Amino acid sequence: GWEVVVQDGFNVVVAHALTAGPDGSVCFTLPPGPYTVTLTPQGGSFQTLPSGGGGYTLTLGNAPTPTLFFGVQ
């Protein structure tokens, strides 16, 4: 599977998972705060979303949790 890594505002890994299920979805339950979510591409592939191959930086609060999409070719 694909490795998804979540780091907090201090760049400490607070969660990671290998994708599971046919749609590749992963779900994390995290407390409010700043996070960066990245995907580790497998050999022979490259990330197309988010553009530039980086990750997503977001701040979680009490609002509904966002859905993040990664694209890989």
Side-chain angles (χ1 to χ4, degrees):
W2 301 89
E3 183 179 24
V4 178
V5 177
V6 180
Q7 293 177 295
D8 66 12
F10 300 102
N11 293 322
V12 174
V13 174
V14 294
H16 76 279
L18 299 178
T19 57
D23 65 353
S25 64
V26 175
C27 181
F28 297 105
T29 302
L30 301 165
Y35 296 96
T36 301
V37 183
T38 57
L39 176 80
T40 304
Q42 295 179 350
S45 63
F46 63 94
Q47 188 174 322
T48 60
L49 189 70
S51 61
Y56 291 98
T57 300
L58 63 148
T59 300
L60 298 179
N62 294 326
T65 305
T67 299
L68 307 177
F69 294 96
F70 288 92
V72 179
Q73 286 188 330

